């Protein structure tokens, strides 16, 4: 009668048997298989765990027989005996499922110790205190994870002895006291379980296996599986392995190492080693480990064997490895190997080096680098090794880090900035009036507003760090200070901000400057060979456009014209235009803006010579260009109190009334986008004319330009048709005046659910689509970004109602489904219709992959994200070709 | 060689030949065909017009020959001669397309007059002055519509003569002066056209026909067709008819009549008659017409013939007719018949009467009444015949009309209301603090806020008139007055508002009280026999619920719990709950709200005994329950200035800080709906518990209730699943405490585009769907209702970018497409899923029809709209069965 095979010796398994043996077991088997020195052991399969559960917590028939047989094999291989008083075999018992899963029982070491074998261990190590301490720890670990007795019950015993003896550290307790401690430990177990601590090693083993199996169904594990969508019938394997001791003298030791430098990617062994020690000692911080190079000096043969082994593992796994090992009396044992975590810089270098070393292909190299992570390489960063004193955390509104003196006023920021001082501008929120100060500041910190607040948008555009919506800081402009809890920070004090994490710190912190390595350039060049998506940039100025080209942008996917309106010299004219009560007065103000806008477009179109440039006509609600009502009311009150002239008061009152009249309940859904062009066609007409006049100038200079005029916030083809007429009319006028003919396209943003639904009709008029996924996400989910990111998205993430912030990672199921509909319907009307994305998702790797999948022609993102998008686009193309799904989790 | 037939004698046409003969021609032919006395004439077909245009403005071959032949027939029939000096045949020439189309040439009367025939006319009528005046008018009319000379050119001549003669009215000018006027008229024509006024009647006719044809392609007509989607190749017919003269003495006259009273629907002739007059005289207001009954006294035989004719026409057309006729020397001539316009009350009575008279079927009767219009019958209305002095127009926020003294304060409104004074509460906007004043006011007028503003929603709930967002009025609370332009209205002055049109009037205006006729009840009973959709009501109080049942509601589709929170005795506790910093404090406040909510639900569930009642858990953002920041800031300033105690100042400051903290940029897309339940589960738990405790009480009393618990603003199934758990937990607790088991359902509002897209997943948890089309419209179109209705929807309607306000009439193409998707996906998961609509569209006929078409089970609307919805639902069902499409336009 043949029983099912529940136990695999390490010699019987392979790396690809993770489903059956778990990740840990499969890797130990793989190392054993390729001849590396692994302490012998075996794995009880995950199927055994499932059987156990199916049978109502009964070991399946034959399983224990197989375990005992494997154990006899271990005894034979090691020459030790399980429970042998003189030369005891001790084993570790570890859980290990196919996917790493916190919440399950983890490890019991030194199983096999008891009142008898402890003496054998003492004799073998020549250190009775150590053997007793091992036994003490074994009882505590076993009692905790197998018998479920709280650590506290044992810790209090130790505390008592240390106090009595006047000692500070556990390892100072002498052997005789440890014996007393052991007695009390055993009494504690008796008291809690009503039974003696199990002395029979085989009983210890049975209980430990049972504990691993049971931990599969504990509450934490169940919840974790539910959240991470891990099937309940995966089960966990159990690894049982002979102990190797690194603390058997000067020719023993323990260490961890990376096969390459995980920080820089340099091809060199990198790690730590501790002579005459066990892994636990390193963790306990009792002794300071030495660099791995010391191993070369102290145990040269072992070092040589280890480097050889590392090379074997790297070649075998075809990636940099993170290795744990132990040396027992001059003999090397490999305890674990896994793919090593690394910095972005190291990831790039290792990937490129490995291609050049012939280990992996270019496709593999491109897939190896986390596209999101390389964003770090383009911004100044806080030194990851620095200890930080974080006083508050806001939203990570614009990446990079900055330090500087606190100032509360844009004028002062400009002044000090011009004098060469590093300053951080701190405001409750910024307005167009503050831009000159932002330009000169190292970074911006605001106490209100979200990721799309004025400060955030402007800072991202400038590539400057910004932390927004940091509600913990309370600003007192009058006192020129801010408080966080009980802490007060005055003007002139230095703070640091990390726009990548939202952290605010007191004082200066160490930073790392971005370095673009040759390997980085190489990797991006390869990316360009594989990707199908084009990558454009969102840029509003010639400087941004130049930056974008430098990073490899193939055009501008979004040039916002409102930022031009906010420039300090334009704003008064823009305000005049807004305050006009007649179309005539409005036209007059617009006429003065025309040459300025023409200059803007001249600059940006010239910078993008030979490449397409999508220019979006005015989008934001007009009240964004006016001061806030609260501010005005305060100014008005002050003027009245100080007896200002009646005419001035009247003017201010008029302004306040206009601000009130333009007030909107939900500006995001208000009078903006093409609705402005529809109510004030003269604004769009002026903008179109400015674009075309700039094109004419450039054509005359022989500069080739490809302008694309974009109408925002369209929900129906009728809107687009009407606005297109205005644009075509402007072209007709400019053509008549200049006699210069040229090509251009007129298209629209797709940023409302209705636009997706009626995309077939819109495509009849639109020569291109560009998805504005920021707004499309807001409307599809009904989430106001400025409110949601501060108020309820954190709760949603915490309660796992959302996997990601939908403003960072495109919501494929909702927003994505509407995009797909729009692509299909748009192209049904106009085959081959040019479709891109210019929302912030255009620079986020998972979103870029989705854009590739639904067949967009390009993504557009901020200049600093262009490299991220290039890599992500290549990865999407390679994954599609090789049918490798996007990696989920680890 | 047979030529195409371009001319049809009236004897040759029929009512169903509208496409060829136009509406007017077909009706004249039909009357002729059934033997009614119509002045003889003929019609040139619309095909002739198309040919004319195809040939480059050339009459098609043979057409004029056919016209002249028909004209010879007219001469034979009338015994008169076209151009005959002694007995001239005069004709009218009228355009007439298949659809009524303003902007085209309309009518030329008395064609055939010239210097010679005018004498014949004078002899025939015995009134030279009249004949000359006819000729003068003919020249002016012909010159204007055919020769395109401005009226002004002729009017100025008349003005000059009247001034010279010291006369006030045209008809006072004596014959000799008219002769001089005629000379100047002819000189004017010569001067403008370079040609003499055509004297040849045949030339006059050719020119008139050409003018009618050409008017098909004038600018106004082209634009009108484009907007109304009328095909350009429809063409217009031309009607040429012998003139009949009502001014040939005491046995002649002219009149208009309805076959039934168009105001009440009574079965009686209703109209006016003028002895010895032509139609123009009535229009000119020279003489006052007398009731049609006078005809009976003056010309009894004619009257009898006329009443017979009316009966024939009504029986023939199977509807009430609007008739024009002329009596020439005791002979009756029918000039026009068409379906008569009528009031809502008349429409109902006529439809029901005609069924009882056996003229039409019940289905036809139901389709005859405009469902939207019957809403008028349920509210007090301004007398349609009243002359109104409208000083401003806002949004029609809640139907009905009211007059009362202006008050600017809710407390004062309450006080005066209690004293029996009729007041209209005027505020810039209202808040929950004002509710006690709204209750006691006749109506509400606000200068800010849209159709979903607090004032609008509360007023609609109470069935009270409201005009909101009336931006023209500027309120000055300090002076207790408001201004509109240069007009100032002080406290205590009387105004009237019309919540059905948005009009604001000075003083009291005459009103009509609603009367529900027996015919109305009959019609609705018939509607119930035919409709498939159930009709529920949106009601928040037992009173509203009772009202809804009275109007025939079959359940409550939306019971909003926030209005309960806004009650004056609850608000302080609600505010306390909101201001709580800990969950514990919040729970404490909620515990005090629990018995109050239980009482609310007890009342409404009892009122709906035996019928389903959908109760929506808390939806609005919490800041709606707190005072506004501006108001608080002002109060704080005053307190400080008046040296209030520090503790009071501190408390107010705390409140202001909290209000600031809760401030949202876009509250519509903010922290509301189930997002409240997710961040504060204890609120939803309390509400669910209150519902279930009420159910238990009612069950014990033997009252059958069908509660449906509704989770608002869901965008993902995970939200619903989590909130459903809270509800089920509350049930488990109440069940454990009371031992009373009962049935209930848990479902969700579908009001976000994403919810429609993932409706299949949501349906796995939802036991019902209810479309919240107000919010779904806001998010799908990206229109904030409060901003859009005041600021840009009017421009969109004006520029024809929208056919209807999408918040009034469901946007089928956008919002409707998403609804259809949600229905299909939801039912794919859960066949037969109960789906309704509770947005305001649920009471709008076209939207109700759409809901019928996509297979909803019910619509829910405000109690006063229930009859509208019942009728609209029946019409939808009948149209579907008979494949009669919804009527578009007239």
């Amino acid at each position: 009668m043949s029983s099912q095979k529940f136990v695999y010796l390490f010699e019987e398994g392979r790396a690809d048997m993770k489903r059956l043996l778990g990740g840990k077991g499969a890797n130990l088997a793989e190392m054993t298989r390729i001849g590396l020195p692994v302490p012998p052991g075996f794995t009880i399969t995950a199927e055994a765990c499932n059987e156990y559960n199916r049978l109502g917590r009964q070991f399946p028939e034959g399983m224990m027989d197989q375990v005992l047989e494997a154990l006899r094999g271990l005894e034979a291989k090691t020459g030790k005996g399980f429970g042998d008083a003189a030369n005891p075999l001790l084993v570790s018992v570890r859980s290990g499922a196919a996917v790493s899963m916190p919440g399950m029982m983890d490890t019991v070491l030194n199983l096999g110790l008891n009142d008898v074998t402890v003496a054998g261990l003492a004799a073998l190590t020549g250190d009775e205190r150590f053997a007793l301490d091992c036994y003490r720890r074994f009882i505590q670990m076993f009692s905790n994870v197998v018998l479920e007795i709280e650590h506290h019950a044992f810790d209090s015993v130790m505390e008592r002895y240390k106090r009595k003896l006047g000692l500070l550290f556990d390892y100072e307790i002498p052997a005789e006291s440890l014996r007393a401690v052991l007695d009390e430990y055993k009494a504690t177990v008796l008291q809690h379980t009503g039974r003696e601590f199990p002395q029979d090693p085989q009983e210890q083993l049975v209980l430990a296996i049972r504990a691993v199996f049971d931990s599969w169904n504990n509450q934490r594990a169940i919840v974790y599986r539910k959240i991470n969508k891990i099937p309940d019938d995966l089960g966990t394997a159990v690894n049982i392995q002979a102990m190797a001791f690194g603390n058997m003298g000067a020719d023993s030791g323990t260490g961890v190492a990376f096969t390459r430098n995980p920080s820089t990617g340099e091809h060199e062994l990198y790690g730590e080693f501790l002579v005459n020690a066990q892994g636990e000692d390193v963790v306990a911080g009792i002794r300071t480990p030495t660099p791995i190079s010391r191993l070369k000096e102290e145990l040269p043969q072992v070092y040589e064997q280890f480097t050889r082994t590392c090379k074997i593992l790297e070649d075998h796994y075809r990636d940099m490895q993170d290795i744990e090992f132990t040396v027992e009396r001059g003999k090397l044992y490999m305890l674990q190997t896994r793919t090593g975590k690394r910095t972005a810089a190291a990831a790039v270098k290792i990937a490129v080096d490995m291609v050049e070393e012939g280990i992996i292909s270019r496709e593999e190299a491109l897939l190896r680098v986390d596209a999101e992570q390389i964003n770090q390489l383009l911004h100044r960063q806080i030194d990851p090794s620095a200890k930080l004193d974080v006083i508050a955390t806001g939203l990570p509104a614009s990446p990079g880090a900055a330090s500087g003196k606190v100032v509360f006023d844009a004028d002062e920021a400009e002044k000090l900035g011009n004098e060469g001082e590093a300053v951080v501008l701190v405001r409750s929120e910024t307005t167009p009036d503050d831009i000159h100060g932002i330009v000169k500041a190292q970074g911006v910190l605001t106490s209100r507003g979200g990721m799309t607040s004025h400060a955030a948008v402007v800072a991202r555009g400038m590539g400057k760090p910004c932390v927004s919506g940091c509600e913990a800081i309370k600003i007192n402009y009058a006192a020129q200070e801010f408080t966080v809890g009980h802490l007060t920070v005055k003007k002139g004090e230095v703070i640091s901000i990390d726009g990548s994490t939202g952290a605010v710190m007191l004082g200066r912190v160490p930073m790392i400057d971005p370095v673009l390595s040759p390997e980085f350039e190489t990797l991006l060049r390869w990316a360009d060979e594989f990707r199908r998506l084009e990558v454009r940039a969102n840029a509003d100025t010639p400087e941004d456009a130049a930056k974008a080209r430098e990073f490899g942008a193939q055009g501008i996917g979004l040039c916002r014209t409102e930022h031009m309106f906010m420039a300090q010299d334009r704003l008064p004219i823009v305000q005049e235009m807004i305050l006009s009560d007649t179309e005539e007065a409005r036209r007059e103000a617009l006429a003065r803006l025309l040459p300025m806008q023409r200059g803007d477009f001249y600059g940006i179109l010239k910078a993008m010579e030979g490449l397409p440039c999508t220019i979006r006509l005015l989008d934001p609600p007009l009240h964004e260009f006016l001061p806030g009502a609260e501010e005005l009311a305060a100014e008005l009150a002050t003027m009245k109190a100080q007896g200002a002239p009646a005419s001035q008061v009247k003017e201010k009152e008029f302004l306040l009334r206009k601000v009130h009249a333009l007030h909107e309940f939900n500006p995001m859904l208000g009078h903006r986008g093409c609705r402005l062009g529809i109510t004030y066609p003269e604004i769009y007409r002026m903008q179109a004319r400015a674009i075309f006049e700039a094109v004419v100038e450039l054509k005359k200079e022989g500069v080739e330009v490809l302008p694309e005029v974009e109408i925002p916030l369209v929900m129906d083809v009728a809107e687009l048709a009407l606005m297109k007429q205005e644009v075509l009319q402007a072209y007709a006028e400019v053509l008549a005046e200049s006699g210069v003919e040229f090509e251009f396209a007129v298209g629209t943003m797709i940023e409302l659910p209705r636009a997706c639904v009626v995309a077939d009709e819109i495509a009849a008029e639109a020569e291109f689509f560009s998805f504005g996924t920021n707004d499309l996400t807001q409307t599809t989910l009904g989430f106001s970004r400025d409110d949601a990111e501060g108020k309820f998205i954190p709760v949603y993430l915490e309660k796992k109602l959302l996997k990601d912030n939908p403003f960072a990672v495109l919501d494929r199921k909702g927003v994505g489904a509407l995009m797909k509909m729009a692509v299909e319907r748009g192209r049904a009307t106009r085959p081959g219709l040019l479709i891109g994305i210019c929302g912030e998702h255009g620079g986020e790797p998972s979103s870029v992959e989705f854009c590739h999948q639904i067949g967009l022609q390009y993504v557009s993102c901020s200049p600093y994200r262009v490299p991220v998008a290039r890599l992500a686009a290549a990865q999407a193309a390679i994954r599609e070709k090789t049918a490798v799904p996007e990696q989920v989790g680890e």
Side-chain angles (χ1 to χ4, degrees), chain A:
Chain A
M1 192 188 96
S2 77
S3 151
Q4 192 180 346
K5 183 170 174 65
F6 290 117
V7 170
Y8 284 75
L9 303 183
F10 288 168
E11 293 82 352
E12 298 174 317
R14 304 171 53 102
D16 59 9
M17 291 167 72
K18 283 203 175 110
R19 180 75 179 76
L20 191 66
L21 306 179
K24 197 174 287 162
N27 269 334
L28 284 166
E30 187 73 11
M31 286 199 288
T32 304
R33 198 177 66 82
I34 62 173
L36 296 182
V38 175
F42 56 89
T43 304
I44 307 172
T45 66
E47 276 173 8
C49 173
N50 288 337
E51 268 302 283
Y52 170 85
N53 283 318
R54 204 180 56 78
L55 297 170
R57 304 184 60 234
Q58 295 288 332
F59 286 151
E61 202 185 310
M63 186 198 89
M64 259 329 275
D65 294 339
Q66 295 178 26
V67 168
L68 293 178
E69 192 191 324
L71 198 61
R72 278 193 295 277
L74 272 198
E75 289 177 326
K77 275 180 205 137
T78 56
K80 296 176 178 178
F82 197 50
D84 186 294
N87 189 13
L89 170 64
L90 303 184
V91 297
S92 61
V93 179
R94 289 182 169 101
S95 67
V99 291
S100 166
M101 222 179 80
M104 290 200 316
M105 193 209 96
D106 189 19
T107 301
V108 174
L109 296 178
N110 295 331
L111 188 139
L113 277 178
N114 58 21
D115 294 352
V116 177
T117 55
V118 69
L121 183 63
L124 279 172
T125 58
D127 185 346
E128 189 192 11
R129 209 211 72 86
F130 165 75
L132 290 170
D133 197 49
C134 269
Y135 189 27
R136 177 190 72 77
R137 289 195 213 190
F138 168 58
I139 292 175
Q140 181 162 351
M141 197 183 270
F142 186 92
S143 299
N144 180 251
V145 301
V146 178
L147 306 178
E148 297 181 348
I149 303 171
E150 293 286 332
H151 270 292
H152 171 73
F154 300 99
D155 289 341
S156 61
V157 175
M158 284 291 279
E159 286 305 313
R160 191 148 35 77
Y161 274 84
K162 279 192 287 184
R163 206 172 327 115
K164 200 164 69 181
L165 297 169
L167 302 173
L168 286 174
F169 299 105
D170 288 2
Y171 66 87
E172 294 172 324
I173 301 177
E176 57 270 35
S177 298
L178 278 180
R179 261 189 293 270
V181 167
L182 277 169
D183 287 342
E184 290 209 30
Y185 268 29
K186 284 183 274 187
T188 301
V189 172
L190 179 61
Q191 186 196 328
H192 276 81
T193 64
R195 292 188 49 205
E196 297 283 350
F197 182 79
Q199 288 291 322
D200 176 7
Q202 193 166 318
E203 188 190 350
Q204 290 173 359
L205 186 61
V206 167
L207 290 172
I209 294 169
R210 197 178 271 281
V212 173
F213 283 170
D214 286 342
S215 72
W216 180 253
N217 279 328
N218 73 30
Q219 201 53 38
R220 278 179 59 203
I222 290 171
V223 170
Y224 184 86
R225 284 200 297 274
K226 189 163 199 143
I227 289 166
N228 291 281
K229 305 209 164 103
I230 298 169
D232 283 330
D233 63 354
L234 210 56
T236 180
V238 186
N239 298 295
I240 295 161
Q241 187 177 25
M243 291 292 299
F245 292 96
N247 49 353
M248 289 200 167
D251 58 351
S252 300
T254 189
V256 294
F258 292 86
T259 55
R260 303 191 185 213
N261 187 317
S263 181
T264 64
E266 285 300 317
H267 196 157
E268 61 186 10
L269 266 189
Y270 181 92
E272 295 174 329
F273 182 72
L274 200 50
V275 170
N276 193 15
Q278 271 201 317
E280 285 188 355
D281 297 333
V282 181
V283 177
I286 299 166
R287 290 162 55 193
T288 307
T290 56
I292 191 87
S293 53
R294 275 288 285 278
L295 184 60
K296 194 175 186 177
E297 295 158 29
E298 299 191 11
L299 299 165
Q301 298 95 323
V302 172
Y303 180 76
E304 203 215 338
Q305 187 193 358
F306 182 64
T307 52
R308 255 197 338 267
T309 306
C310 285
K311 172 90 173 78
I312 291 167
L313 279 173
E314 221 188 42
D315 286 351
H316 187 70
Y317 284 101
R318 306 171 67 243
D319 203 351
M320 186 264 267
Q321 295 295 299
D322 171 358
I323 293 164
E324 290 177 25
F325 65 98
T326 281
V327 181
E328 181 180 313
R329 292 188 173 150
K331 181 158 170 43
L332 176 69
Y333 287 106
M334 306 301 286
L335 296 185
Q336 174 149 352
T337 190
R338 56 185 172 190
T339 298
K341 296 212 182 299
R342 65 206 76 180
T343 64
V348 170
K349 180 157 174 57
I350 291 170
V352 172
D353 283 353
M354 282 191 165
V355 171
E356 279 159 11
E357 292 162 25
I359 300 173
I360 59 175
S361 68
R362 289 181 177 187
E363 286 96 324
E364 283 173 297
L366 286 162
L367 291 178
R368 285 278 170 86
V369 179
D370 180 341
E372 183 59 38
Q373 222 186 351
I374 67 165
N375 190 33
Q376 291 173 12
L377 301 178
L378 304 168
H379 293 282
R380 220 166 170 222
Q381 273 181 268
I382 292 178
D383 184 339
S385 66
K387 282 247 171 213
L388 300 179
D389 177 19
V390 175
I391 58 172
T393 303
L395 299 172
S398 178
S403 295
K405 289 185 177 172
V406 169
V407 294
F408 294 98
D409 181 274
D411 292 338
E412 191 156 6
E414 186 183 33
K415 184 171 154 286
L416 290 174
N418 283 337
E419 291 167 7
E421 283 271 23
V423 298
V424 173
L425 180 61
V426 181
R427 301 279 303 165
S428 55
E429 50 198 344
T430 64
T431 71
D433 284 340
D434 297 322
I435 290 192
H436 60 294
I438 299 174
V439 169
K440 297 295 177 179
Q442 300 298 306
V444 183
L445 168 62
T446 68
S447 60
R448 285 171 61 180
M451 302 282 288
T452 48
S453 63
H454 178 261
V457 171
V458 169
R460 279 200 295 276
M462 296 181 186
K464 240 178 236 295
C466 174
V467 172
S468 70
C470 186
E471 305 207 352
I473 73 167
K474 310 287 176 203
I475 300 173
N476 184 339
Y477 288 121
Q480 290 281 292
E481 63 184 34
F482 70 80
T483 56
V484 191
H486 295 296
L487 181 74
T488 300
V489 178
K490 295 205 161 287
K491 185 178 83 170
E493 288 188 54
V494 172
I495 62 168
S496 299
I497 59 171
D498 185 346
S500 311
T501 63
V504 181
M505 288 127 305
L506 219 49
R508 226 168 278 283
V509 297
M511 307 225 184
I512 301 172
D513 276 326
V515 190
L516 294 191
S517 64
E519 287 87 356
F520 189 75
E521 299 290 348
T522 303
L523 192 79
L524 288 179
R525 211 170 51 241
W526 294 344
D528 294 344
E529 288 169 19
F530 287 100
R531 67 189 162 90
R532 188 186 68 215
L533 276 174
E534 296 210 345
V535 177
R536 296 192 186 183
N538 300 346
D540 307 340
T541 64
E543 295 73 39
D544 288 354
K547 189 61 144 178
R549 278 195 100 135
E550 198 180 295
F551 283 135
Q554 296 162 285
I556 287 181
L558 176 62
C559 171
R560 285 165 290 233
T561 52
E562 52 267 28
H563 294 160
M564 301 170 182
F565 274 44
M566 282 178 178
Q568 231 189 334
D569 54 335
R570 324 278 172 83
L571 199 55
I573 311 176
V574 173
Q575 293 180 343
E576 204 175 295
M577 186 235 348
I578 295 167
L579 299 176
S580 304
D581 273 334
T582 63
E583 190 184 318
E584 202 184 340
R586 207 153 42 233
R587 278 186 192 282
E588 195 277 320
L590 285 167
R592 278 186 291 147
L593 284 172
L594 175 66
M596 299 176 179
Q597 281 258 289
R598 188 200 308 132
D600 296 329
F601 297 134
Y602 176 90
I604 202 154
L605 287 167
K606 188 168 189 176
M608 295 309 287
E609 176 169 8
L611 296 177
C613 182
T614 308
I615 299 171
R616 180 176 72 184
L617 302 189
L618 197 67
D619 182 59
L622 295 182
H623 51 73
E624 283 200 7
F625 298 102
L626 297 181
E630 261 184 70
E631 194 183 323
L632 276 175
E635 284 175 21
L636 189 59
T638 310
M639 283 170 72
K640 281 179 173 172
Q642 296 174 346
S647 65
Q648 284 181 24
V649 170
K650 235 181 155 115
E651 199 178 316
K652 192 65 83 179
E653 280 174 342
F654 170 76
L655 189 57
L656 182 57
R657 266 206 307 283
K658 194 78 184 186
V659 167
H660 273 153
L662 287 173
H663 165 265
E664 292 187 308
F665 295 93
N666 298 288
M668 154 69 206
L669 307 177
H671 194 181
R672 50 170 287 238
C674 69
R675 299 161 197 174
L676 289 176
I678 284 162
T679 44
Y680 307 118
E682 56 277 9
I683 299 180
Y684 276 19
R685 180 79 76 92
M686 180 281 282
Q687 292 198 296
R689 176 174 261 275
I691 294 168
F692 295 142
E693 288 181 359
V695 172
V696 167
E697 275 187 53
L698 287 161
K699 286 279 280 189
K700 286 181 178 165
E701 293 171 25
V703 179
E704 190 205 349
V705 293
L706 301 165
E708 298 172 341
V709 182
E710 184 173 61
I711 311 296
L713 213 67
V714 160
M715 61 106 200
D716 192 276
V717 65
E719 297 171 315
L720 177 59
L722 194 65
M723 293 299 98
K724 193 174 169 185
Q725 276 310 314
E726 288 293 331
V727 174
L728 297 182
Q729 193 59 42
Y731 173 69
E733 287 169 15
V734 172
L735 175 61
E737 286 159 19
S738 67
V740 179
E741 270 182 37
F742 50 89
E743 299 272 322
F744 63 96
V746 182
T748 180
M749 293 272 274
I750 300 287
E751 49 189 335
L752 293 172
R754 194 180 194 279
C756 297
V757 174
V758 301
D760 47 347
E761 296 186 6
I762 291 175
E765 292 284 344
E767 291 163 304
F768 61 87
F769 280 0
S770 175
F771 284 108
T773 48
N774 295 351
D775 282 359
L776 190 58
T777 300
Q778 297 199 85
T779 45
T780 302
L781 276 66
F783 277 18
S784 162
R785 184 172 185 178
D786 280 329
D787 302 309
E789 287 188 330
K791 291 202 162 92
F792 57 86
I793 287 182
V795 180
Y796 269 62
L797 292 170
E798 184 197 317
K799 297 200 176 181
K800 308 283 175 195
L801 296 170
L802 283 173
K803 191 169 157 280
D804 299 291
N805 175 348
F807 293 106
V809 180
L810 190 82
D811 161 41
R812 297 185 182 199
K813 203 182 271 182
V815 177
L818 287 173
M819 288 170 71
K820 195 155 177 286
M821 180 191 291
V823 170
E824 288 163 1
R825 294 186 178 180
R827 295 229 176 101
T829 299
R830 197 185 277 257
L833 177 66
L834 174 66
I835 309 181
I837 177 176
C838 64
E840 289 190 46
H841 300 100
E844 189 281 321
S846 153
S847 313
V848 170
E849 177 173 50
F850 182 75
C851 292
H852 174 94
Q853 289 169 349
I854 63 170
L856 303 201
Q857 281 99 329
Y858 72 84
V859 297
S860 186
C861 53
S862 81
Y864 287 89
R865 286 228 153 226
V866 166
V868 175
R870 286 163 69 192
L871 178 55
Q875 291 176 339
I878 295 167
R879 279 205 201 95
E880 183 180 62
K881 213 170 55 181
T882 56
V884 179
E886 193 198 9
Q887 273 176 288
V888 176
E890 200 218 352

